[in-house]
Amino acid sequence: MSPDARSVWGFDAIGTVWEIETPQALPPAARSAVTACIASFDAEWSRFRPDSVVSRLAGGGAAPAPADAGAMLGLYADLADATHGAVNPLVGDALARRGYDPVYSFADHGPAAAPAAWRGILTWSADELALSEPAVLDVGALGKGRLVDLVVAALAPWAADDLVVDAGGDLAVRGPARRIGLEHPYDPRRAIGVVEVTDAALCASATNRRAWGDGLHHVLDARTGEPVRTIAATWAIAPTAMRADAVATALFFDGGPRLAHEWGVDWVRMTTDGRVEWSPGSKAELFT
């Protein structure tokens, strides 16, 4: 994606591979800022570590609200409304039951629906994040996108106008346009198309990522606890990675395309039977 003359800093964090591309190598202070940003987010929102805010709240109770709780959970409310409850921030227990648990057991204990009345259980304000009963908060529908945005902001003093932050397929571009391949969900050596991204974010989600067992994967319908069976992969382009990530999740369900239209988000998705769908006026060059 990048010319050889550019610097690419690669590292692993939050269970995925990151690449940060800049014209010149980032100084130690910039790298420290990124590392601190990711560590702070993980300590607040990861359900995979026992000392996180999310894990400490799992039995019910209250904690000081992370700074981005309002932005993230407010967007979750929009996602839940648009998908008629298929996206739900209290889906953590359902994911764990299917094997996507903190120890990555991948042992399936059957489906369980997330609490449909989650708004009465999970509350937040500028000061406090609270659960009125035991539940596991999971921000996977938009959390990685939010973290990409935070990393971009952390790097602003050093690379505000020429930067690519790629967190395992969720990426933000600042400055010159980049042509990004849309990876085929059934063959990572192929692409179903390419799209040009300029001063925006492209987020992707696919059922072949974080998949295990007999057809199990990380995209569950929170109403049933069952994995999605009709959509194989989604891509969304938006001004922020959090919003692109949110739409990429919504596109697995009815209501996703309408939400994307309301938000002005360009999108592509591929069904499990191989059909490709896209938003009206999509700028993607698709190999159909």
Side-chain angles (χ1 to χ4, degrees), residues 6 23 159-164 172-178 196-200:
R6 295 174 66 82
D161 301 322
D162 194 345
L163 171 70
V164 179
V173 175
R174 296 293 180 268
R178 300 292 192 278
E196 190 171 273
V197 181
T198 308
D199 288 326

Side-chain angles (χ1 to χ4, degrees), residues 83-214:
T83 62
H84 309 289
V87 179
N88 181 324
L90 298 185
V91 75
D93 274 325
L95 285 163
R97 282 186 56 84
R98 302 316 298 255
Y100 196 32
D101 52 31
V103 297
Y104 299 101
S105 71
F106 302 126
D108 184 17
H109 299 288
W118 65 268
R119 288 175 175 85
I121 300 171
L122 172 65
T123 56
W124 64 92
S125 68
D127 301 316
E128 186 178 82
L129 180 64
L131 287 169
S132 62
E133 62 185 61
V136 179
L137 181 59
D138 180 276
V139 296
L142 52 77
K144 186 144 66 82
R146 175 64 173 177
L147 183 52
V148 167
D149 291 333
L150 293 173
V151 168
V152 169
L155 287 171
W158 299 277
D161 301 322
D162 194 345
L163 171 70
V164 179
V165 175
D166 183 353
D170 290 348
L171 60 87
V173 175
R174 296 293 180 268
R178 300 292 192 278
R179 281 173 62 82
I180 312 296
L182 308 181
E183 181 184 297
H184 197 297
Y186 301 140
D187 185 351
R189 299 166 300 177
R190 299 170 55 200
I192 70 163
V194 295
V195 65
E196 190 171 273
V197 181
T198 308
D199 288 326
L202 167 66
C203 288
S205 186
T207 57
N208 66 315
R209 302 290 180 94
R210 298 189 294 280
W212 65 95
D214 183 16

